[in-house]
Amino acid sequence: MIEKIEHWQSSLATTTADFKRAFEHLDREALYQKPQAGTWSIAENIQHLMVINSSYFPIFKQVEEGSYQKPFIGNFGFLTKAIGNMILKSVDPENPKKINTIPVWKPEKYEEKEQEKLLEAFEAHQQEFSDWIVRLKPALEKGQVIHSPANRLIAYPLEMAMDIITTHEKRHLAQAKRVLK
């Protein structure tokens, strides 16, 4: 499990560095400029990642404390793995199909007051997420199943959640980079 934890942490660190390298030279206007209606700006891609990743933190806290109640669907390993694999494929950067996010994960749910420091806030957020991965090692080793923060009927292994989250970040990095083209 240590190798997987290191892999996820490395992925977070690389994605964070890639976001900073690609966008730190931009001013606020460029970060928030939408290339066209119906697409997200660079800033909105970053905000979306922070909103969605943070939505897992209450679940992580419950898992860490031992108070998390696995949903009924979590008792069916084959089903939770199938659901997780389906979500993982849908967020893959190579998947060309556009996916609309649910309202609870929209970028406008991001509540940070100092929008000018978005990349710094993202970097701090990524470090917090990385810290959670280490703290969840015992649950990861036990094969803990969690539900999606958006819907208790969607459950997958915690390990797969980490794969989904880190892959999803790469998808939005690619999406944000397309805004510059």
Side-chain angles (χ1 to χ4, degrees):
M1 185 54 62
I2 290 179
E3 295 84 22
K4 287 185 178 185
I5 289 171
E6 289 172 353
H7 168 75
W8 295 318
Q9 288 183 308
S10 175
S11 179
L12 289 172
T14 300
T15 302
T16 304
D18 289 349
F19 265 101
K20 285 186 75 174
R21 190 171 24 262
F23 308 120
E24 68 186 347
H25 66 282
L26 299 177
D27 62 16
R28 186 181 195 291
E29 184 178 329
L31 279 173
Y32 286 87
Q33 183 176 348
K34 290 183 178 227
Q36 59 194 30
T39 61
W40 286 350
S41 67
I42 294 164
E44 286 172 316
N45 276 282
I46 296 168
Q47 292 167 338
H48 167 69
L49 291 176
M50 292 170 67
V51 168
I52 196 168
N53 293 357
S54 295
S55 72
Y56 279 90
F57 293 173
I59 295 170
F60 294 169
K61 185 172 177 23
Q62 290 175 2
V63 167
E64 181 183 46
E65 293 171 345
S67 63
Y68 180 76
Q69 295 295 314
K70 176 174 66 173
F72 179 73
I73 192 172
N75 294 315
F76 303 97
F78 68 94
L79 189 54
T80 59
K81 286 182 180 144
I83 290 169
N85 281 325
M86 181 182 68
I87 295 169
L88 184 58
K89 286 179 186 172
S90 74
V91 300
D92 188 302
E94 301 300 318
N95 181 354
K97 186 176 180 189
K98 184 177 176 177
I99 304 165
N100 289 326
T101 194
I102 60 172
V104 71
W105 288 333
K106 296 255 185 207
E108 57 264 19
K109 298 290 183 181
Y110 179 69
E111 298 179 4
E112 179 62 40
K113 304 295 181 243
E114 293 188 50
Q115 297 285 344
E116 294 77 29
K117 299 186 181 199
L118 183 60
L119 286 168
E120 291 88 351
F122 180 66
E123 186 173 26
H125 166 81
Q126 294 290 83
Q127 184 57 56
E128 181 179 6
F129 198 94
S130 185
D131 294 345
W132 269 115
I133 295 171
V134 174
R135 291 165 57 185
L136 292 168
K137 182 178 181 269
L140 287 159
E141 289 173 335
K142 290 179 188 172
Q144 175 74 51
V145 172
I146 64 168
H147 65 79
S148 165
N151 188 331
R152 287 191 60 82
L153 298 176
I154 299 172
Y156 33 80
L158 180 57
E159 182 176 331
M160 192 162 281
M162 299 303 173
D163 289 335
I164 290 167
I165 293 164
T166 54
T167 301
H168 180 246
E169 288 193 351
K170 290 179 178 112
R171 180 179 180 94
H172 281 281
L173 174 61
Q175 184 176 331
K177 284 181 174 180
R178 286 193 298 272
V179 171
L180 294 177
K181 294 181 182 179

